[in-house]
């Protein structure tokens, strides 16, 4: 067995809790000695014990002289829990293998330095890229103070999101729709425009066979046209935040006061800009945002280049129609040279549909893995 074998186990543990630890990163840890797994664990929820603590408690007294594999640098500061490095040192761990350095300036390299000062051998960078992909939302949030944005769209093979009459249920099959709910489960917020609310009256909740976390529902609604009887207002399944322009009156906002899970957030300008919405969401602790808007909302995110990941579900259907809607509206780019260049991360088949995951090329996006 080599370092990658055990680090892969730790990374799998981190993947399993992705989306439920926010605003903390998902972390996995494994304690090994003489080829025997003595303990393992994952950070399950913000404010609860970290992965290293779970793994060390399972290992008990056998941890002395063992090796610990951890997907993210152990913390060296007091937050809602005690520093993990102190427990690692106390338990007599001989060697620590770290996948990636923590980009949080409170931690970055400080935990590693303290371990080395205690005489512990530390190796950094084992399966680093894999760890960074698991923590890409955390890295982006820590370094930019804004949410990591995933934009999803479902299209026919000829790029249409609905027929010319507006019919869109269902372009894709059941497997693709279930996959969307996994993304909802792992994101802090889900965003649509008011036109989607008015047209479809969506719940914007997570519906998985075994349940799941509901993201905060975020509505872009410049003139506050969200109906008082919409599901996002009345069902109380999740918080709903409505962003409006500065001209919305106190009288318009009053009708939402009785709904304690609904908040109207009025921006300083007449028009809503994606940049200001993201900055406000970042200050409110939204680390990851799932955009399920229509063409106008998607076009706004594209225009401001505020997309970190795109997910296309493509159905083997041809809808046709020059006036049938596509994924992105707005003015678009005037030149091919302005286009958002993408790198394809993965291509999968979900039932009869194709799923494509892509990220903007480095020059057109935030730097994901250099901190």
């Amino acid at each position: 067995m080599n370092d990658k074998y055990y680090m892969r186990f730790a990374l799998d543990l981190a993947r399993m809790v992705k989306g439920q630890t926010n605003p903390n990163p998902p972390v996995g840890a494994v304690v090994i000695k003489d080829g025997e797994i003595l303990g393992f664990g994952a950070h399950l929820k913000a404010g609860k014990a970290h992965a290293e603590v779970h793994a060390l408690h399972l290992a008990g007294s056998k941890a002395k002289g063992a090796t610990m594999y951890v997907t993210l640098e152990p913390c060296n500061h007091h937050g809602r829990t005690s520093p993990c490095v102190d427990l690692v040192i106390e338990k007599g761990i001989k060697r620590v293998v770290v996948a990636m350095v923590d980009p949080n300036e409170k931690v970055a390299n400080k935990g590693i330095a303290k371990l080395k000062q205690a005489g512990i051998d530390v190796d950094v960078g084992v399966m680093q890229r894999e760890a960074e992909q698991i923590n890409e939302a955390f890295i982006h949030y820590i370094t930019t103070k804004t949410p990591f944005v995933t934009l999803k769209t479902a299209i026919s093979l000829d790029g249409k999101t609905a027929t010319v009459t507006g019919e869109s249920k269902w372009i894709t099959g059941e497997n693709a729709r279930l996959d969307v709910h996994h993304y909802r489960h792992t994101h802090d917020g889900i965003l649509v425009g008011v036109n989607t609310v008015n047209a479809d009256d969506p719940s914007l909740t997570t519906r998985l066979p075994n349940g799941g976390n509901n993201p905060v529902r975020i509505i872009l609604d410049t003139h506050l046209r969200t109906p008082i009887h919409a599901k996002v207002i009345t069902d109380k399944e999740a918080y709903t935040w409505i962003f409006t322009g500065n001209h919305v009156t106190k009288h318009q906002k009053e009708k939402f006061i009785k709904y304690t899970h609904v908040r109207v957030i009025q921006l300083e300008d007449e028009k809503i800009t994606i940049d200001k919405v993201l900055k406000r969401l970042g200050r409110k602790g939204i680390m990851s945002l799932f955009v399920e808007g229509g063409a106008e909302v998607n076009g706004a995110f594209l225009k401001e280049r505020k997309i970190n990941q795109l997910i296309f579900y493509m159905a083997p259907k041809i809808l046709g129609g020059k006036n049938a809607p596509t994924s992105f509206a707005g003015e678009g780019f005037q030149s091919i040279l302005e286009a958002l260049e993408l790198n394809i991360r993965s291509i999968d088949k979900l039932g009869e549909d194709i799923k494509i995951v892509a990220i903007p090329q480095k020059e057109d996006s935030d730097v994901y893995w250099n901190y």
Side-chain angles (χ1 to χ4, degrees):
M1 304 296 183
N2 58 23
D3 286 343
K4 286 187 176 181
Y5 177 87
Y6 295 115
M7 185 61 77
R8 192 171 290 114
F9 179 22
L11 289 167
D12 286 342
L13 292 170
R15 284 190 190 94
M16 292 177 70
V17 296
K18 188 176 180 180
Q20 69 181 54
T21 64
N22 299 352
N24 292 351
V27 180
V30 183
V31 177
I32 308 292
K33 186 164 67 174
D34 298 328
E36 180 184 359
I37 297 176
L38 303 175
F40 58 88
H43 177 45
L44 301 177
K45 189 176 181 180
K48 302 298 182 182
H50 288 186
E52 300 94 319
V53 175
H54 288 301
L56 288 168
H57 282 173
L58 275 178
S61 61
K62 292 183 179 180
K64 187 174 182 179
T67 295
M68 169 175 279
Y69 294 83
V70 61
T71 59
L72 185 71
E73 175 184 6
C75 64
N76 184 37
H77 68 285
H78 285 273
R80 295 167 69 179
T81 60
S82 300
C84 291
V85 290
D86 292 348
L87 185 62
V88 173
I89 294 167
E90 177 190 326
K91 293 293 185 179
I93 291 291
K94 182 179 180 181
R95 177 176 177 245
V96 176
V97 182
V98 178
M100 63 172 282
V101 174
D102 194 322
N104 188 338
E105 61 183 13
K106 292 181 179 179
V107 183
N109 286 304
K110 297 181 178 69
I112 290 170
K114 189 168 185 179
L115 292 173
K116 289 181 177 179
Q117 289 169 5
I120 297 173
D121 294 329
V122 182
D123 291 309
V124 181
V126 175
M127 302 191 74
Q128 177 177 324
R129 187 171 181 83
E130 290 84 348
E132 288 169 338
Q133 286 191 4
I134 292 171
N135 284 301
E136 60 189 352
F138 175 71
I139 296 169
H140 177 85
Y141 179 71
I142 285 294
T143 55
T144 69
K145 311 303 181 187
T146 61
F148 180 93
V149 175
T150 297
L151 189 149
K152 158 260 174 183
T153 187
I155 57 176
S156 62
L157 203 58
D158 58 335
K160 307 296 185 180
T161 59
T163 67
V164 70
T165 63
E167 183 183 348
S168 62
K169 294 184 178 179
W170 295 101
I171 287 180
T172 54
E174 186 177 340
N175 289 350
R177 298 198 298 273
L178 182 63
D179 195 57
V180 169
H181 285 281
H182 283 287
Y183 282 105
R184 290 184 179 185
H185 168 70
T186 58
H187 282 74
D188 295 330
I190 180 171
L191 183 146
V192 300
V194 67
N195 289 338
T196 295
V197 175
N198 285 327
D200 302 333
D201 193 21
S203 298
L204 302 179
T205 52
T206 299
R207 297 183 294 280
L208 293 171
N210 295 316
N213 296 319
N214 287 329
V216 175
R217 300 176 292 199
I218 298 154
I219 316 298
L220 302 187
D221 185 1
T222 303
H223 306 291
L224 197 53
R225 296 186 294 116
T226 300
I228 200 71
H229 55 75
K231 291 176 183 174
V232 294
I233 303 300
T234 62
D235 67 9
K236 300 181 182 179
E237 293 293 325
Y239 288 105
T240 298
W241 297 347
I242 307 173
F243 280 84
T244 75
N246 65 3
H247 58 282
V248 169
T249 67
K250 181 180 179 182
H251 175 69
Q252 285 178 280
K253 293 186 286 186
E254 282 178 346
K255 62 183 179 181
F256 296 101
I257 290 177
K258 68 177 180 179
Y259 298 99
T260 57
H261 64 291
V262 177
R263 183 175 181 186
V264 177
I265 302 172
Q266 195 163 12
L267 298 177
E268 299 82 5
D269 302 320
E270 183 177 348
K271 293 184 178 181
I272 294 173
T273 62
I274 301 303
D275 180 65
K276 289 189 176 180
V277 168
L278 293 178
K279 286 177 179 176
R280 186 69 70 91
L281 291 176
R283 291 198 295 270
K284 291 182 175 296
I286 300 295
M287 189 169 83
S288 57
L289 183 66
F290 194 52
V291 177
E292 286 198 58
E296 293 295 335
V297 167
N298 292 350
F301 273 88
L302 178 63
K303 181 181 179 181
E304 295 193 36
R305 295 181 182 268
K306 296 298 182 181
I307 303 169
N308 302 107
Q309 179 175 239
L310 294 101
I311 301 174
F312 294 89
Y313 298 97
M314 185 179 294
K317 297 180 175 75
I318 301 291
L319 298 183
K322 67 176 182 179
N323 294 323
T326 58
S327 296
F328 294 88
E331 297 177 0
F333 299 121
Q334 300 297 311
S335 166
I336 293 293
L337 295 176
E338 297 178 81
L340 183 66
E341 299 279 355
L342 303 174
N343 287 327
I344 303 298
R345 176 174 281 181
S346 64
I347 301 175
D348 297 292
K349 196 170 182 195
L350 300 178
E352 295 301 314
D353 303 319
I354 294 173
K355 174 187 176 183
I356 300 174
V357 179
I359 59 174
Q361 289 186 3
K362 187 175 180 180
E363 61 269 26
D364 284 328
S365 64
D366 298 296
V367 179
Y368 293 98
W369 301 310
N370 296 323
Y371 39 85

